[in-house]
């Protein structure tokens, strides 16, 4: 059982469903590292069932399976292009991952020869010494070509020139968790997090532009007013967090977390209106994950602070109104919707559970305990959920257990009756998996782990202030 309690660094793990992993051709930048392993570790998997592993700073052993790719630091979101050619991870730390940047993890300790996270050691990764004097880069996007394995890092704007922070010394751009492709694959949208921005990166022939073509900064007048009255809250951002898009690609929906609102952006004009869930800070429901039903007529928003999911009615003109709420588990953060729109799946991070919501009746029909060990205390921390293209499997990232839970639809469930799900097993990942997405064909699963295989050592004289800057990706 303990074998599935693994983790990895801010890494990107590609898990082939139903087959052992084989190596891709190593790219000329940010090479992939192939690691074979079992497909699903069930509850009875023996200790030591995995050949390779890494001991984390907290003493846990992680054994991620799949082909690994270097990312930037602290990735929190993941998007797969409609044609399955590209994977984009959104990096919320200020660093380039293992292959460059400040005090690269591989060479931070000269007594560890070579890289301590590779078993057997990988000599190609020993020359990644960072420079402690280097200025930390912006938060970024890692774009990986899944055909060739090559990857590149892009930012939204140059350091110090973010439109929301112009003139501020040392200002840099932000990214958060939200990243997705438009239905036609011609745009990549990303949430700007602490600068209240949403970016539109053009995509041409499977190449994401190095800079966004359009940027919108969502207003936060009430937060600014509160900051003017309460000095401790001065400068508080609204934080653009998660994204969803209508099936026709006309409207982009953005949760504005601390601003306590949902923004609806017209993708043609890149203008926005907001639907408020109440005064920010004073009534903090903190909207997080969001999904749009496949018919485009409704959206569902996870309200972290209220233990509820808000049901939002949408019309063809992009008008939105809240039509109800559904009580779910503790601290809901992430959502997925079934391909036919009949069910919404809610990851309850504080409750270690998954709620299955029937969209027709707007009620919870099943609550699934996601804890790995029977009777264990809270701590599985499900923070991402995805559904297979055929709707018969669910994948839930368990940040606290360093694994992805695989839930299978009961074979006795006859369509079109609502599906019920049972726990089929677990996939070992990196440390703190934070995003999960199946390929368009459903034969592969992509997982981003926010803390990867470990963290860089903190140096007193260094500029590291944010934990996410110390967690390089693979």
């Amino acid at each position: 059982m303990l074998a599935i309690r693994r983790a990895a660094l801010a890494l990107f793990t590609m898990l082939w469903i139903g087959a052992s992993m084989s190596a891709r051709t190593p790219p000329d930048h940010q090479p992939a590292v192939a690691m074979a392993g079992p497909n699903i570790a069930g509850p009875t998997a023996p200790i030591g069932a995995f050949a390779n592993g890494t001991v984390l700073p907290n003493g846990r052993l992680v054994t991620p399976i799949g082909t690994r790719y270097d990312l930037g630091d602290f990735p929190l979101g993941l998007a797969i292009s409609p044609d399955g050619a590209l994977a984009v991870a959104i990096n919320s730390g200020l660093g380039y991952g293992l292959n460059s940047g400040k005090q690269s993890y591989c060479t931070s300790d000269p007594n560890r020869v070579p890289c301590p996270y590779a078993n057997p050691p990988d000599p190609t990764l020993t020359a990644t010494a960072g420079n402690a004097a280097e200025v930390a880069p912006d938060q970024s996007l890692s774009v990986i070509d899944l055909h060739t394995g090559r990857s590149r890092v892009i930012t939204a704007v140059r350091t110090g020139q973010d439109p929301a922070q112009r003139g501020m010394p040392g200002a840099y751009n932000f990214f958060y968790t939200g990243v997705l492709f438009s239905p036609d694959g011609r745009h990549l949208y990303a949430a700007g997090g602490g600068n209240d921005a949403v970016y539109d990166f053009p995509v041409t022939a499977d190449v994401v532009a190095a800079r966004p073509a359009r940027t919108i900064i969502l207003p936060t007048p009430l937060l600014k007013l509160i900051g003017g009255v309460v000095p401790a809250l001065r400068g508080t951002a609204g934080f653009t967090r998660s994204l969803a898009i209508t099936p026709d690609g006309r409207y982009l929906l953005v949760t504005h977390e601390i601003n306590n609102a949902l923004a609806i952006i017209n993708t043609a004009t890149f203008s926005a209106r907001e639907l408020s869930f109440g005064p920010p800070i004073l009534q903090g429901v903190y909207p997080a994950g969001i999904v749009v039903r496949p018919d485009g007529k409704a959206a569902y928003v996870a309200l972290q602070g209220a233990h509820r999911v808000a049901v939002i009615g949408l019309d063809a003109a992009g008008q939105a109104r809240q039509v109800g709420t559904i009580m779910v588990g503790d601290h809901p953060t992430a959502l997925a919707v079934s391909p036919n729109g009949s069910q919404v799946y809610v990851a309850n991070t504080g409750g270690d559970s998954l709620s299955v919501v029937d969209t027709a009746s707007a009620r919870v029909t099943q609550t699934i305990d996601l804890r790995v060990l029977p009777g264990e205390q809270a701590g599985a921390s499900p923070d991402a959920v995805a559904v297979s293209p055929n709707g018969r499997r669910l994948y839930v990232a368990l940040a606290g257990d360093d694994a992805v839970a695989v839930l299978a639809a009961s074979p006795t469930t006859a369509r079109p009756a609502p599906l019920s799900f049972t726990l089929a097993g677990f996939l070992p990942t990196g440390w703190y998996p934070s995003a999960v997405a199946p390929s368009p064909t459903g034969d592969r699963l992509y997982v981003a782990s926010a803390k990867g295989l470990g963290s860089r050592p903190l140096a007193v004289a260094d500029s590291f202030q944010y934990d996410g800057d110390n967690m390089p990706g693979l």
Side-chain angles (χ1 to χ4, degrees):
M1 292 183 184
L2 296 179
I4 54 92
R5 291 181 162 280
R6 319 299 196 202
L9 153 155
L11 81 17
F12 182 88
T13 305
M14 184 179 74
L15 306 174
W16 292 70
I17 307 304
S20 296
M21 299 304 302
S22 60
R24 286 183 177 271
T25 301
D28 53 12
H29 177 59
Q30 298 184 334
V33 179
M35 177 180 287
N39 303 310
I40 297 180
T44 59
I47 295 176
F50 304 100
N52 302 306
T54 299
V55 178
L56 300 176
N58 63 10
R60 281 190 174 183
L61 175 69
V62 295
T63 56
I65 62 174
T67 299
R68 303 202 299 256
Y69 297 88
D70 195 2
L71 297 180
D73 287 13
F74 208 56
L76 293 178
L78 185 63
I80 308 299
S81 61
D83 62 3
L86 297 177
V88 179
I90 191 164
N91 304 309
S92 296
L94 303 178
Y96 289 127
L98 281 174
N99 281 344
S100 62
K102 306 175 68 173
Q103 295 187 343
S104 177
Y105 178 71
C106 286
T107 54
S108 59
D109 184 348
N111 296 318
R112 294 180 178 179
V113 181
C115 277
Y117 63 81
N119 182 15
D122 185 346
T124 66
L125 298 178
T126 58
T128 59
N131 178 4
E134 178 186 351
V135 176
D138 277 347
Q139 296 180 9
S140 62
L141 302 174
S142 289
V143 181
I144 298 175
D145 184 324
L146 296 172
H147 295 311
T148 66
R150 292 190 177 97
S151 64
R152 53 194 281 263
V153 175
I154 61 176
T155 57
V157 291
R158 296 183 184 277
T159 300
Q161 297 181 15
D162 188 280
Q165 304 182 77
R166 187 172 290 114
M168 294 176 60
Y172 55 87
N173 69 223
F174 289 82
F175 283 107
Y176 201 3
T177 65
V179 60
L180 59 76
F181 285 89
S182 60
D184 62 9
R186 297 171 61 185
H187 300 264
L188 178 79
Y189 299 110
N195 61 10
D196 296 313
V198 178
Y199 299 113
D200 173 13
F201 292 85
V203 182
T204 305
D206 289 330
V207 175
V208 179
R211 291 287 182 266
R214 300 182 295 180
T215 299
I216 185 171
I217 306 294
L218 300 181
T220 57
L222 285 178
L223 281 174
K224 291 180 179 178
L225 178 63
I226 293 171
V229 177
V230 183
L233 299 177
R234 190 167 297 154
T236 299
F239 279 88
T240 46
R241 178 165 175 163
S242 298
L243 307 180
I245 196 164
T246 54
D248 59 10
R250 295 177 61 194
Y251 298 102
L252 182 67
L253 281 68
V254 185
T255 52
H256 207 180
E257 185 178 15
I258 307 302
N259 203 44
N260 228 34
L262 171 67
I264 299 92
I265 297 175
N266 183 313
T267 58
T269 64
F270 229 54
S271 58
R273 65 172 67 94
E274 285 204 332
L275 172 67
S276 176
F277 294 112
I281 298 178
L282 302 178
Q283 188 178 338
V285 299
Y286 306 117
I290 181 171
V291 292
V292 174
R293 209 166 59 200
D295 62 9
K297 295 181 179 180
Y300 300 84
V301 181
L303 304 179
Q304 299 174 88
H307 301 189
R308 296 176 184 271
V309 168
V311 184
I312 309 297
L314 301 173
D315 65 21
Q319 298 290 336
R321 64 186 182 91
Q322 185 172 336
V323 297
T325 60
I326 304 167
M327 180 68 75
V328 290
D330 183 25
H331 200 69
T333 58
L335 306 172
V337 62
S338 63
N340 63 6
S342 65
Q343 293 180 317
V344 167
Y345 312 107
V346 187
N348 304 307
T349 305
D352 291 341
S353 65
L354 184 83
S355 297
V356 179
V357 173
D358 177 72
T359 58
S361 62
R363 65 183 184 90
V364 175
T365 58
Q366 188 179 10
T367 300
I368 302 170
D369 189 336
L370 296 173
R371 290 174 294 182
V372 172
L373 301 175
E376 73 174 331
Q377 297 300 308
S381 301
D383 62 351
V385 57
V387 59
S388 63
N390 66 6
R392 305 290 295 183
R393 279 196 171 190
L394 305 178
Y395 304 102
V396 188
L398 304 182
D401 283 328
D402 311 324
V404 168
V406 181
L407 308 177
S410 171
T412 61
T413 302
R415 295 178 180 179
L419 297 177
S420 62
F421 292 86
T422 57
L423 184 62
F426 302 89
L427 297 165
T429 70
W431 191 5
Y432 211 88
S434 54
V436 59
S439 65
T441 55
D443 62 337
R444 305 173 191 176
L445 188 67
Y446 301 93
V447 182
S449 295
K451 301 182 181 181
L453 292 176
S455 54
R456 297 184 179 96
L458 287 168
V460 175
D462 206 285
S463 63
F464 289 140
Q465 299 294 329
Y466 169 43
D467 286 351
D469 299 349
N470 304 309
M471 297 173 181
L474 282 179

